[in-house]
Amino acid sequence: GNSVTQMEGPVTLSEEAFLTINCTYTATGYPSLFWYVQYPGEGLQLLLKATKADDKGSNKGFEATYRKETTSFHLEKGSVQVSDSAVYFCALSSRGSTLGRLYFGRGTQLTVWP
Amino acid sequence: KAGVTQTPRYLIKTRGQQVTLSCSPISGHRSVSWYQQTPGQGLQFLFEYFSETQRNKGNFPGRFSGRQFSNSRSEMNVSTLELGDSALYLCASSLEQTQETQYFGPGTRLLVL
């Protein structure tokens, strides 16, 4: 079946620190992978995505590389800002009977202190 | 383009009542998916509609139902509300192709007393 496992937080960092949030997945076939971010009181915003092995998604200084050999899609940012404080979700979508459904990790709460 | 809109944003109901939530997808998007988000269970898939047909359904009781209209707008209904139905209900829309990115609305926060 399909599932996503991501490190659970909370993660607390100082401004300008390096960020890594680990995400691994199990999927049938060849999934697309996503990172979403949720700010307090809001819905989910797409942060980045990758649709095939070795693709790198990037946006707003965040990056993640689709690693088929390790079934991973770790999120990284070289220098976090206070405004990056939010909950981050790793997700996958797959074909076939799971059409239209995203599988999410449990989310990682990130807090960045000035 | 306008994003996904959900109404109402907040709702308070009592046990036993029913509720209807509405979702308007991004213009041109024909697939609408619904998710329930709670602190304990995280994000759980409810169902997905495409061209007025339910294509996929999560593991929720029959009290949770939905529909999609010809203009792609969607509604979900929860009957006989229980305290455990208190959650943030998120709607997402996408184009018709498989594995297409889903864009989320701001959610409807439902509190059942």
Side-chain angles (χ1 to χ4, degrees):
Chain A
N2 298 312
S3 66
V4 174
T5 303
Q6 65 178 102
M7 59 183 281
E8 295 191 24
V11 174
T12 304
L13 295 172
S14 298
E15 206 164 27
E16 299 183 4
F18 184 83
L19 169 70
T20 299
I21 301 177
N22 291 335
C23 171
T24 57
Y25 67 89
T26 301
T28 53
Y30 302 96
S32 291
L33 301 172
F34 306 86
W35 278 100
Y36 284 87
V37 58
Q38 186 174 36
Y39 298 98
E42 298 184 10
L44 275 65
Q45 295 178 24
L46 175 69
L47 184 57
L48 53 83
K49 70 176 184 180
T51 58
K52 61 183 188 296
D54 299 325
D55 267 1
K56 177 185 282 189
S58 61
N59 185 28
K60 300 180 182 180
F62 291 90
E63 292 182 339
T65 301
Y66 188 142
R67 300 285 188 200
K68 185 169 179 288
E69 62 276 12
T70 55
T71 61
S72 65
F73 192 56
H74 304 321
L75 182 68
E76 296 183 336
K77 187 176 186 184
S79 176
V80 294
Q81 305 299 312
V82 172
S83 57
D84 294 326
S85 298
V87 181
Y88 293 81
F89 292 92
C90 184
L92 73 81
S93 71
S94 190
R95 299 181 186 274
S97 63
T98 61
L99 204 59
R101 172 178 182 170
L102 286 172
Y103 293 82
F104 287 93
R106 293 304 302 265
T108 301
Q109 171 77 56
L110 170 67
T111 302
V112 180
W113 295 98
Chain B
K1 277 185 183 180
V4 177
T5 57
Q6 292 187 246
T7 56
R9 291 292 310 276
Y10 304 92
L11 210 46
I12 300 175
K13 293 286 187 180
T14 56
R15 277 182 300 174
Q17 288 186 310
Q18 75 163 20
V19 66
T20 299
L21 312 181
S22 180
C23 171
S24 293
I26 292 171
S27 177
H29 285 194
R30 297 172 62 188
S31 169
V32 174
S33 299
W34 288 89
Y35 297 84
Q36 181 195 65
Q37 185 179 24
T38 60
Q41 299 298 316
L43 282 152
Q44 294 187 285
F45 173 76
L46 282 156
F47 27 65
E48 187 261 357
Y49 287 87
F50 175 77
S51 289
E52 303 179 64
T53 300
Q54 187 182 89
R55 293 195 298 189
N56 209 343
K57 188 177 190 305
N59 190 26
F60 277 82
R63 301 185 296 108
F64 291 81
S65 63
R67 60 178 175 168
Q68 187 180 35
F69 301 95
S70 58
N71 62 357
S72 295
R73 190 177 71 84
S74 177
E75 289 181 347
M76 69 162 281
N77 183 277
V78 188
S79 62
T80 318
L81 283 166
E82 301 177 359
L83 296 179
D85 297 333
S86 295
L88 181 66
Y89 290 88
L90 292 163
C91 160
S93 75
S94 64
L95 292 171
E96 58 187 284
Q97 291 85 0
T98 60
Q99 299 187 284
E100 192 64 36
T101 304
Q102 293 189 14
Y103 297 90
F104 284 79
T108 294
R109 186 163 295 282
L110 171 65
L111 176 62
V112 182
L113 300 176

